[in-house]
């Protein structure tokens, strides 16, 4: 991890997504020195290929210092669309260190015919919408936001998350620990078995967790979709191949 004497990583990927792992694999396959950074939120994260560091940088200044110290020539912010603080930190920190930054962000989901979607700006707005949409709720918005639903004592929740959630939690709650990808048949069965009346999701986008939306459409279950938070205006691409080309363009000529 950045030991003096070892080969200096030239590319930093801010990760925690499948796109970040795919980009790391693409760079490793081309012998580009890359280090992927994870926040350390998940107990047993899926690790990308290549070098990995875990934990925060200490804000934009910490990130800028880390980039300079490790001789980084390009940064790709491939963090999750809802990871707001690291996105701001990346924009400020990379600019301060004078290192080019690319944002790799998968497109959001779009409703299809038959969908009954209700957009919410925040998880709090999603919680306010729920009582008029149903009483048996499938929450797939992550364990960190569960406190937002803790006062909804009249509703029953099935919350699916990777690691166990911590209080405060809704009183009528069943927790399902699991990690995608999911298939439409499984999602349909899960929602049917639990007699789900409304689904809550962030607009994460991507195919790994999309099946629940198809299942909701089939079962005519309304969906509360939380909008993505704003991100700083940095050059952004939607697919791994384009991010790989951009990154190779930044390191070519410097490879040993
Ligand atoms: P966040 O609120 O944007 O970040 C909080 C702090 O965690 C940041 O200020 C930074 O600390 C540190 N951090 C975040 N991502 C990091 C990374 N990739 N490498 C090093 N430090 C990082 O983020 P979050 O919403 O808690 O998400 C944390 C991670 O989980 C992200 O990397 C994201 O890609 C992944 N993830 C998030 C979600 C989601 O719904 N939010 C879903 C799936 C995966 P310092 O300020 O100290 O640098």
């Amino acid at each position: 991890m950045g030991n003096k004497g070892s080969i200096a990583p030239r590319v930093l990927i801010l990760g925690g997504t499948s796109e970040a792992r795919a980009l790391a694999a693409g760079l490793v396959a081309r012998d580009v020195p890359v280090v992927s950074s994870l926040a350390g939120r998940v107990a047993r994260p899926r690790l990308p290929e290549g070098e990995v560091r875990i934990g925060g940088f200490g804000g934009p200044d910490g990130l800028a210092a880390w980039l300079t110290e490790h001789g980084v020539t390009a940064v790709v912010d491939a963090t999750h669309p809802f990871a707001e603080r690291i996105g701001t930190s990346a924009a400020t920190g990379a600019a301060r260190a004078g290192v080019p930054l690319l944002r790799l962000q998968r497109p959001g989901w779009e409703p299809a015919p038959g969908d009954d979607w209700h957009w919410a700006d925040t998880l709090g707005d999603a919680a306010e919408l729920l009582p008029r949409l149903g009483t048996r709720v499938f929450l797939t918005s992550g364990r960190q936001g569960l406190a937002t639903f803790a006062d909804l004592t009249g509703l029953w929740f099935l919350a699916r998350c990777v690691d166990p959630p911590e209080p405060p939690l809704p009183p009528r709650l069943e927790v399902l620990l699991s990690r995608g990808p999911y298939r439409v048949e499984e999602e349909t069965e899960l929602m049917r078995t639990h007699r789900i009346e409304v689904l809550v999701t962030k607009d994460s986008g991507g195919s790994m967790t999309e099946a629940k939306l198809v299942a909701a459409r089939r079962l005519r279950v309304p969906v509360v979709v939380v909008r993505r938070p704003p991100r700083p205006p940095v050059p952004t691409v939607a697919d791994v191949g384009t991010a790989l080309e951009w990154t190779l363009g930044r390191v070519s000529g410097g490879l040993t």
Side-chain angles (χ1 to χ4, degrees):
M1 274 189 233
N3 296 334
K4 294 213 162 59
S6 65
I7 191 165
R10 293 203 178 89
V11 176
L12 173 68
I13 300 174
L14 299 168
T17 58
S18 55
E19 290 81 4
R21 290 190 292 276
L23 178 61
L27 291 170
V28 167
R30 287 161 183 80
D31 293 325
V32 175
V34 57
V35 57
S36 294
S37 175
L38 304 177
R41 295 275 184 286
V42 176
R44 285 184 300 282
R46 287 189 173 122
L47 292 176
E49 287 180 42
E51 199 175 333
V52 177
R53 67 166 296 289
I54 296 181
F57 294 93
D61 287 337
L63 176 60
W66 197 95
L67 295 174
T68 304
E69 188 187 333
H70 291 81
V72 172
T73 50
V75 182
V76 180
D77 171 12
T79 55
H80 191 271
F82 282 80
E84 229 177 322
R85 274 167 52 200
I86 189 68
T88 306
S89 199
T92 310
R96 256 173 221 170
V99 177
L101 168 70
L102 182 73
R103 168 86 181 132
L104 168 57
Q105 176 164 279
R106 62 181 88 139
W109 288 316
E110 299 284 342
D115 281 334
D116 178 15
W117 283 18
H118 303 256
W119 288 94
D121 283 335
T122 61
L123 273 186
D125 290 351
E128 275 184 31
L129 283 173
L130 282 181
R132 65 182 168 83
L133 292 172
T135 54
R136 296 183 64 83
V137 185
F138 184 19
L139 274 183
T140 63
S141 44
R143 81 187 155 107
Q144 289 188 65
L146 286 186
T148 311
F149 302 90
D151 292 338
L152 294 172
T153 51
L155 308 186
W156 178 89
F157 292 93
L158 174 67
R160 182 165 65 191
C161 25
V162 176
D163 287 321
E166 281 162 20
L169 298 169
R172 301 171 64 212
L173 170 72
E174 183 175 328
V175 175
L176 179 59
L177 295 181
S178 85
R179 168 147 60 184
Y182 302 104
R183 292 199 305 261
V184 173
E185 292 311 327
E186 293 165 353
E187 296 289 67
T188 307
E189 190 52 32
L190 182 73
M191 289 168 66
R192 194 178 273 141
T193 308
H194 289 88
R195 293 177 286 119
I196 295 300
E197 295 168 356
V198 53
L199 165 70
V200 178
T201 179
K202 294 173 175 172
D203 180 17
S204 299
S207 59
M208 296 237 311
T209 57
E210 194 178 21
K212 63 190 170 190
L213 300 172
V214 182
R217 189 177 309 140
R218 280 187 181 176
L219 297 170
R220 299 184 182 279
V221 164
V223 185
V224 177
V225 186
V226 182
R227 278 196 186 87
R228 294 175 170 195
R231 285 262 178 177
V234 296
T236 301
V237 299
D239 68 289
V240 174
T242 312
L244 186 58
E245 274 174 37
W246 179 90
T247 312
L248 292 173
R250 296 297 167 295
V251 297
S252 61
L255 292 175
T256 48

